[in-house]
């Protein structure tokens, strides 16, 4: 049974400091990390290596975006553990304005493995895909809600891991924290490469609300401390509504698929 879930946000993004950045994968809106962000990722790996072995994660589940995989890589190398690609914890996009197309979706685990050989593309297949049409604040929480109640028992059934690390994005990290704690109104801001740690409540069988936070978005192990922290209040207009975003030109006629759960294995809520 899973006992501990660590959740980290990716490191500092290159597009925050440069307008001429290049997508290594060719995917729009998929910037790499800055050199500083790469250093943050290494410090994350060093932190986990400093823990006693019985406190370290034994697998990493990463968003398929390049910056998250760059953040996962040093941890994978330091601990000698695999990276599994999971679209269920991918980036959050605001609803796409009508007629502007769909949001990007990264490639398969097999295609990403050419950039990151630490990826295990055989053992794990993503169990959830978010819609490319975008989500409002409530919808991203609903996505994570549905994802978690299937993901946790599926991992427990497939593996023997007691401790895992999820590497994701600010909005998704916040939604994950809120759903694990059963506090959707939890005020939380998440900095780059910050780390949260959730332990299962004694005797808890429910996934949602069945965890306690030992730390929330902490960054004491990072040389620069908290950097570029973000919260939903930075973008929410009112009552979970956000300003629409534009989709990617040329995707207007693409099929929004796959979407949603790819497996069925629920635990109690």
């Amino acid at each position: 049974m899973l006992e501990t879930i660590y959740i980290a946000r990716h490191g500092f993004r290159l597009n925050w400091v440069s307008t001429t950045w290049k997508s290594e994968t060719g995917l729009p809106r998929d910037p790499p990390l800055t050199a500083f962000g790469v250093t943050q990722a290494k410090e994350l790996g060093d932190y986990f290596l400093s823990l006693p072995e019985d406190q370290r994660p034994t697998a990493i589940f990463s968003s398929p975006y390049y910056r998250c995989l760059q953040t996962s890589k040093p941890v994978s190398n330091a601990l000698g553990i695999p990276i599994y690609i999971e679209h269920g914890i991918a980036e959050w996009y605001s609803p796409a304005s009508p007629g502007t197309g769909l949001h990007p979706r990264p490639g398969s685990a097999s295609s990403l493995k050419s950039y990151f050989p630490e990826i295990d593309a055989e053992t794990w297949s993503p169990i959830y895909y978010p819609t490319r049409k975008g989500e409002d604040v409530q919808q991203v929480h609903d996505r994570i809600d549905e994802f978690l109640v299937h993901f946790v028992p599926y991992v427990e059934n497939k593996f023997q891991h007691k401790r895992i690390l999820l590497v994701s994005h600010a909005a998704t990290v916040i939604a994950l924290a809120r759903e694990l704690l059963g506090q959707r109104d939890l005020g939380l801001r998440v900095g780059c490469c910050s780390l949260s740690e959730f332990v299962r409540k004694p005797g808890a069988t429910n996934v949602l609300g069945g965890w306690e936070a030992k730390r929330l978005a902490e960054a004491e192990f990072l040389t620069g401390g908290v950097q570029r922290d973000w919260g939903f209040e930075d973008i929410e207009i009112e009552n979970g509504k956000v300003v629409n975003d534009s989709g990617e030109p040329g995707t207007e006629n693409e099929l929004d698929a796959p979407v949603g759960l790819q497996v069925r294995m629920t635990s109690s809520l």
Side-chain angles (χ1 to χ4, degrees), residues 49 121 259:
L49 191 59
V259 171

Side-chain angles (χ1 to χ4, degrees), residues 6-46:
Y6 294 103
I7 304 177
R9 185 189 177 191
H10 61 76
F12 205 94
R13 293 165 49 162
L14 183 58
N15 67 311
W16 289 334
V17 297
S18 172
T19 59
T20 59
W21 63 272
K22 174 188 175 184
S23 171
E24 299 294 332
T25 62
L27 183 77
R29 307 186 215 173
D30 192 19
L33 301 179
T34 61
F36 175 60
V38 171
T39 297
Q40 288 180 313
K42 184 180 184 303
E43 290 179 331
L44 179 64
D46 290 343

